[in-house]
């Protein structure tokens, strides 16, 4: 196939087809790996959850609990970590941050 002879539309369609083919191959590889891991776990008599427990725990990031909630808009929350949101700064400036503590 000579790519220089294809139109932009043809190249775009080809790019999209390649993207889908790559995604399909990735999904197939993931499923194959899962099946192999499950088979290995079964062959040694270890439940897959127990086998992967430590690895999974390391990957799961513990989310800090919410410490503050905006009194005027309860959907706005802050854990007290990192940069404080504007609504927290406003409450602090007015001495009312304690009213937002959860």
């Amino acid at each position: 196939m000579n790519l220089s002879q294809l139109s932009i539309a043809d190249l775009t369609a080809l790019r999209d087809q390649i993207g889908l083919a790559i995604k399909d191959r990735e999904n197939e590889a993931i499923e194959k790996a899962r099946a192999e891991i499950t088979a290995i776990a079964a062959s040694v008599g270890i439940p897959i959850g127990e086998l992967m427990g430590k690895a999974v725990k390391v990957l799961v990031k513990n989310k800090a609990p919410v410490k503050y909630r905006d009194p005027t808009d309860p959907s706005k929350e802050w854990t007290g970590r990192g940069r404080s949101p504007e609504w927290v700064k406003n409450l602090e400036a007015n001495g009312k941050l304690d009213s937002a503590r959860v």
Side-chain angles (χ1 to χ4, degrees):
M1 177 185 300
N2 187 348
L3 297 178
S4 64
Q5 294 178 348
L6 295 177
S7 69
I8 292 174
D10 290 338
L11 289 170
T12 302
L14 183 59
R15 180 195 61 202
D16 294 344
Q17 289 173 355
I18 290 170
L20 291 173
I22 289 171
K23 204 61 160 158
D24 287 344
R25 296 262 175 97
E26 287 173 343
N27 289 336
E28 288 170 9
I30 289 169
E31 287 304 314
K32 182 180 177 188
R34 282 186 181 141
E36 290 174 4
I37 291 169
T38 302
I40 291 168
S43 72
V44 295
I46 299 174
I48 190 74
E50 187 177 325
L51 177 69
M52 299 302 290
K54 284 186 179 180
V56 171
K57 287 177 188 174
V58 170
L59 295 176
V60 173
K61 187 175 183 181
N62 291 334
K63 186 175 178 185
V66 173
K67 290 185 181 177
Y68 300 95
R69 186 168 281 119
D70 186 349
T72 59
D73 183 357
S75 68
K76 295 180 181 176
E77 302 172 334
W78 186 49
T79 62
R81 294 183 179 176
R83 196 171 187 182
S84 53
E86 199 61 39
W87 63 268
V88 170
K89 291 177 185 175
N90 292 337
L91 288 174
E92 282 179 318
N94 294 324
K96 297 182 179 180
L97 185 59
D98 285 339
S99 68
R101 199 172 238 325
V102 175

